[in-house]
Protein backbone atom coordinates (compact mmCIF):
# COMPACT_ATOMS: atom_id res chain seq x y z
CA UNK A 1 0.00 0.00 0.00
CA UNK A 2 1.51 3.30 -1.03
CA UNK A 3 1.62 6.15 1.45
CA UNK A 4 0.08 9.45 0.40
CA UNK A 5 1.41 12.86 1.37
CA UNK A 6 -1.82 13.55 3.21
CA UNK A 7 -1.50 10.38 5.24
CA UNK A 8 2.07 11.17 6.13
CA UNK A 9 1.20 14.76 7.05
CA UNK A 10 -1.39 13.42 9.47
CA UNK A 11 1.18 10.98 10.84
CA UNK A 12 3.67 13.83 11.34
CA UNK A 13 1.08 15.83 13.26
CA UNK A 14 0.35 12.83 15.46
CA UNK A 15 4.08 12.35 16.07
CA UNK A 16 4.48 15.97 17.12
CA UNK A 17 1.67 15.57 19.67
CA UNK A 18 3.22 12.34 20.91
CA UNK A 19 6.59 14.01 21.36
CA UNK A 20 5.03 16.63 23.61
CA UNK A 21 3.20 13.97 25.59
CA UNK A 22 6.19 11.62 25.78
CA UNK A 23 4.21 8.64 24.48
CA UNK A 24 4.02 6.36 21.48
CA UNK A 25 1.22 6.99 19.03
CA UNK A 26 -0.53 4.96 16.36
CA UNK A 27 -0.52 6.45 12.89
CA UNK A 28 -3.91 7.77 11.82
CA UNK A 29 -3.75 5.50 8.77
CA UNK A 30 -1.31 2.87 7.53
CA UNK A 31 1.91 4.66 6.58
CA UNK A 32 2.73 2.05 3.97
CA UNK A 33 5.18 -0.39 5.56
CA UNK A 34 4.00 -3.93 4.98
CA UNK A 35 4.55 -7.17 3.03
CA UNK A 36 7.10 -7.61 0.27
CA UNK A 37 5.75 -6.54 -3.12
CA UNK A 38 7.33 -6.08 -6.53
CA UNK A 39 7.04 -2.76 -8.36
CA UNK A 40 8.50 -3.10 -11.85
CA UNK A 41 8.53 -0.11 -14.17
CA UNK A 42 7.43 -1.32 -17.57
CA UNK A 43 8.34 -4.20 -19.84
CA UNK A 44 12.07 -4.70 -20.22
CA UNK A 45 12.93 -2.44 -17.29
CA UNK A 46 16.20 -3.34 -15.61
CA UNK A 47 14.90 -1.89 -12.35
CA UNK A 48 12.68 -4.74 -11.23
CA UNK A 49 13.09 -4.36 -7.50
CA UNK A 50 10.27 -4.15 -4.97
CA UNK A 51 9.64 -2.30 -1.75
CA UNK A 52 12.09 -4.48 0.23
CA UNK A 53 15.88 -4.58 -0.06
CA UNK A 54 18.07 -6.86 2.01
CA UNK A 55 17.83 -10.52 3.00
CA UNK A 56 14.89 -12.75 3.93
CA UNK A 57 14.98 -16.38 5.07
CA UNK A 58 12.01 -18.69 4.82
CA UNK A 59 10.90 -20.83 7.74
CA UNK A 60 8.94 -20.78 10.98
CA UNK A 61 11.35 -18.51 12.85
CA UNK A 62 10.84 -17.40 16.44
CA UNK A 63 13.51 -14.66 16.69
CA UNK A 64 15.01 -12.14 14.27
CA UNK A 65 17.67 -9.66 15.36
CA UNK A 66 20.04 -7.19 13.67
CA UNK A 67 21.95 -3.96 14.23
CA UNK A 68 22.69 -0.93 12.07
CA UNK A 69 23.89 2.67 12.17
CA UNK A 70 21.16 5.10 11.16
CA UNK A 71 22.44 6.80 8.00
CA UNK A 72 22.65 10.54 7.37
CA UNK A 73 20.45 11.59 4.45
CA UNK A 74 19.62 14.53 2.24
CA UNK A 75 16.00 14.78 1.14
CA UNK A 76 15.53 14.82 -2.65
CA UNK A 77 11.76 15.37 -2.47
CA UNK A 78 8.94 15.49 0.06
CA UNK A 79 7.96 12.01 -1.17
CA UNK A 80 11.13 10.41 0.20
CA UNK A 81 10.44 7.84 2.89
CA UNK A 82 12.38 4.76 3.96
CA UNK A 83 13.21 2.57 6.93
CA UNK A 84 15.74 -0.08 7.93
CA UNK A 85 13.96 -2.71 10.03
CA UNK A 86 13.97 -6.25 11.38
CA UNK A 87 10.96 -8.52 11.36
CA UNK A 88 9.15 -11.80 10.99
CA UNK A 89 6.69 -12.61 8.17
CA UNK A 90 5.79 -10.60 5.09
CA UNK A 91 7.64 -12.38 2.26
CA UNK A 92 4.85 -14.54 0.89
CA UNK A 93 2.43 -13.74 3.70
CA UNK A 94 0.03 -10.87 4.38
CA UNK A 95 1.19 -10.11 7.93
CA UNK A 96 4.43 -8.54 9.17
CA UNK A 97 5.71 -8.05 12.72
CA UNK A 98 8.51 -5.49 12.46
CA UNK A 99 10.43 -2.72 14.20
CA UNK A 100 12.92 -0.16 12.93
CA UNK A 101 13.53 3.53 12.23
CA UNK A 102 11.64 5.55 9.60
CA UNK A 103 13.14 8.57 7.84
CA UNK A 104 10.39 10.84 6.50
CA UNK A 105 11.02 13.84 4.23
CA UNK A 106 7.40 15.01 3.91
CA UNK A 107 8.22 18.14 5.95
CA UNK A 108 11.07 19.04 3.59
CA UNK A 109 13.79 17.75 5.89
CA UNK A 110 14.65 14.37 7.35
CA UNK A 111 12.62 13.37 10.43
CA UNK A 112 13.76 10.17 12.19
CA UNK A 113 11.29 8.12 14.23
CA UNK A 114 11.60 4.66 15.75
CA UNK A 115 8.49 2.54 15.26
CA UNK A 116 6.96 -0.91 15.34
CA UNK A 117 4.20 -2.37 13.23
CA UNK A 118 1.96 -5.42 13.50
CA UNK A 119 0.79 -5.21 9.89
CA UNK A 120 -2.00 -4.95 8.76
CA UNK A 121 -2.50 -2.74 11.83
CA UNK A 122 -1.14 0.80 11.53
CA UNK A 123 2.45 1.50 12.63
CA UNK A 124 3.10 2.94 16.07
CA UNK A 125 5.83 5.57 16.41
CA UNK A 126 7.89 6.23 19.55
CA UNK A 127 8.65 9.75 20.72
CA UNK A 128 12.25 8.97 21.77
CA UNK A 129 14.86 11.15 20.09
CA UNK A 130 16.66 9.63 17.08
CA UNK A 131 19.59 11.13 15.15
CA UNK A 132 21.64 10.15 12.14
CA UNK A 133 24.69 8.22 13.31
CA UNK A 134 22.86 6.50 16.18
CA UNK A 135 23.55 2.78 16.63
CA UNK A 136 20.46 0.55 16.77
CA UNK A 137 19.75 -3.05 17.67
CA UNK A 138 16.29 -4.48 17.00
CA UNK A 139 14.77 -7.85 17.84
CA UNK A 140 11.40 -9.46 17.15
CA UNK A 141 10.59 -12.60 19.16
CA UNK A 142 7.57 -14.87 18.70
CA UNK A 143 5.95 -17.13 21.27
CA UNK A 144 2.84 -18.73 19.82
CA UNK A 145 0.75 -15.79 18.57
CA UNK A 146 2.50 -13.29 20.87
CA UNK A 147 5.27 -11.04 19.55
CA UNK A 148 7.77 -8.99 21.54
CA UNK A 149 9.30 -6.14 19.53
CA UNK A 150 12.35 -4.43 21.00
CA UNK A 151 14.43 -1.59 19.58
CA UNK A 152 17.41 0.01 21.33
CA UNK A 153 19.27 3.21 20.51
CA UNK A 154 22.58 2.26 22.10
CA UNK A 155 24.02 5.69 21.31
CA UNK A 156 21.36 7.60 23.24
CA UNK A 157 20.78 4.81 25.76
CA UNK A 158 17.06 4.11 25.38
CA UNK A 159 15.12 0.90 24.70
CA UNK A 160 11.47 0.40 23.79
CA UNK A 161 9.78 -3.00 24.13
CA UNK A 162 6.24 -3.78 23.05
CA UNK A 163 4.38 -7.10 23.22
CA UNK A 164 1.39 -7.70 20.96
CA UNK A 165 -0.64 -10.66 19.76
CA UNK A 166 -1.58 -11.46 16.18
CA UNK A 167 -3.49 -14.68 15.76
CA UNK A 168 -3.48 -14.44 11.95
CA UNK A 169 0.32 -14.21 11.69
CA UNK A 170 1.87 -16.87 9.48
CA UNK A 171 5.47 -16.73 10.86
CA UNK A 172 6.56 -17.59 7.34
CA UNK A 173 9.87 -15.73 7.07
CA UNK A 174 12.40 -13.57 8.90
CA UNK A 175 14.29 -10.62 7.46
CA UNK A 176 16.60 -7.61 7.79
CA UNK A 177 15.34 -5.02 5.31
CA UNK A 178 15.32 -1.46 4.03
CA UNK A 179 11.95 -0.37 2.66
CA UNK A 180 10.47 2.62 0.86
CA UNK A 181 6.69 2.27 0.46
CA UNK A 182 6.75 5.40 -1.74
CA UNK A 183 9.42 3.94 -4.05
CA UNK A 184 11.46 7.08 -3.26
CA UNK A 185 14.65 7.22 -1.19
CA UNK A 186 16.53 10.31 -0.02
CA UNK A 187 20.22 10.59 -0.85
CA UNK A 188 21.94 8.37 1.70
CA UNK A 189 25.49 9.23 2.77
CA UNK A 190 27.85 6.88 0.95
CA UNK A 191 24.89 5.35 -0.93
CA UNK A 192 25.18 2.40 1.46
CA UNK A 193 23.28 1.04 4.44
CA UNK A 194 24.87 -1.77 6.49
CA UNK A 195 23.43 -4.39 8.83
CA UNK A 196 25.48 -6.33 11.38
CA UNK A 197 24.73 -9.12 13.84
CA UNK A 198 21.88 -10.52 11.74
CA UNK A 199 20.66 -13.76 13.28
CA UNK A 200 17.47 -15.79 13.05
CA UNK A 201 16.81 -18.17 15.96
CA UNK A 202 20.42 -17.65 17.00
CA UNK A 203 21.75 -18.86 13.64
CA UNK A 204 23.90 -16.61 11.52
CA UNK A 205 22.16 -15.08 8.51
CA UNK A 206 24.41 -17.09 6.18
CA UNK A 207 23.42 -20.35 7.88
CA UNK A 208 19.71 -19.75 7.21
CA UNK A 209 19.96 -19.93 3.39
CA UNK A 210 18.76 -16.35 2.89
CA UNK A 211 17.34 -14.86 -0.30
CA UNK A 212 18.67 -11.50 -1.52
CA UNK A 213 16.07 -8.84 -2.35
CA UNK A 214 16.59 -5.72 -4.46
CA UNK A 215 14.76 -2.49 -3.58
CA UNK A 216 13.53 -0.18 -6.33
CA UNK A 217 14.30 3.54 -6.16
CA UNK A 218 11.91 5.55 -8.39
CA UNK A 219 12.47 3.21 -11.28
CA UNK A 220 15.86 4.82 -11.97
CA UNK A 221 18.09 3.06 -9.43
CA UNK A 222 18.16 -0.16 -7.46
CA UNK A 223 19.38 -0.88 -3.93
CA UNK A 224 21.23 -4.21 -4.16
CA UNK A 225 22.45 -6.22 -1.15
CA UNK A 226 26.06 -7.38 -1.29
CA UNK A 227 27.28 -10.80 -0.25
CA UNK A 228 26.96 -11.81 3.38
CA UNK A 229 30.22 -11.05 5.20
CA UNK A 230 32.78 -13.56 6.38
CA UNK A 231 31.27 -13.41 9.88
CA UNK A 232 27.99 -14.74 8.44
CA UNK A 233 25.93 -11.97 10.06
CA UNK A 234 26.67 -8.74 8.16
CA UNK A 235 25.87 -7.24 4.77
CA UNK A 236 25.54 -3.87 3.06
CA UNK A 237 22.95 -2.58 0.61
CA UNK A 238 24.25 -0.18 -2.03
CA UNK A 239 22.39 2.12 -4.42
CA UNK A 240 23.23 1.37 -8.06
Amino acid sequence: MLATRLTRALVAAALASASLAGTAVAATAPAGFGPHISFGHGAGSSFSGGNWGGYASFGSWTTATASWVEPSVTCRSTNDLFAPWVGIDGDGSSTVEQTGVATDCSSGHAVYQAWYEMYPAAPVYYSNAVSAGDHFTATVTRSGSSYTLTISDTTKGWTKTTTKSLSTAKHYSAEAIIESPTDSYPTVSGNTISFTGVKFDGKTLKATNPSALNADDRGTNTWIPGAVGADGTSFSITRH
Side-chain angles (χ1 to χ4, degrees):
M1 180 182 295
L2 294 179
T4 66
R5 292 186 184 181
L6 175 59
T7 294
R8 288 163 54 217
L10 293 171
V11 170
L15 291 175
S17 296
S19 180
L20 291 174
T23 60
V25 61
T28 55
F33 302 103
H36 180 212
I37 61 174
S38 295
F39 290 141
H41 288 272
S45 171
S46 61
F47 303 102
S48 57
N51 60 329
W52 287 14
Y55 279 96
S57 297
F58 296 102
S60 184
W61 305 104
T62 58
T63 301
T65 189
S67 300
W68 68 89
V69 176
E70 193 63 26
S72 176
V73 308
T74 300
C75 295
R76 296 191 290 172
S77 80
T78 56
N79 200 43
D80 293 348
L81 172 67
F82 89 101
W85 57 263
V86 174
I88 294 176
D89 279 331
D91 198 344
S93 63
S94 59
T95 59
V96 195
E97 304 80 47
Q98 54 192 149
T99 187
V101 176
T103 299
D104 186 351
C105 289
S106 60
S107 65
H109 65 278
V111 175
Y112 301 92
Q113 290 281 341
W115 57 278
Y116 76 87
E117 184 174 29
M118 298 287 290
Y119 188 90
V124 176
Y125 291 83
Y126 297 116
S127 62
N128 302 68
V130 174
S131 303
D134 286 2
H135 291 245
F136 282 89
T137 295
T139 301
V140 177
T141 301
R142 174 178 65 86
S143 178
S145 61
S146 179
Y147 290 82
T148 299
L149 307 101
T150 299
I151 186 165
S152 299
D153 184 331
T154 58
T155 300
K156 288 189 167 61
W158 59 258
T159 296
K160 299 297 292 186
T161 299
T162 301
T163 300
K164 294 285 185 178
S165 293
L166 185 61
S167 61
T168 58
K170 304 299 182 183
H171 42 85
Y172 190 70
S173 60
E175 49 274 331
I177 294 294
I178 63 168
E179 177 182 357
S180 176
T182 59
D183 190 20
S184 182
Y185 287 80
T187 297
V188 174
S189 178
N191 284 325
T192 298
I193 301 169
S194 298
F195 286 91
T196 60
V198 183
K199 293 184 178 182
F200 304 146
D201 286 6
K203 298 179 180 180
T204 65
L205 174 65
K206 188 173 183 178
T208 63
N209 192 31
S211 297
L213 303 173
N214 295 343
D216 188 81
D217 188 353
R218 302 185 185 181
T220 57
N221 294 96
T222 304
W223 288 87
I224 300 175
V228 177
D231 62 2
T233 70
S234 60
F235 68 93
S236 296
I237 311 171
T238 303
R239 185 174 181 260
H240 294 265

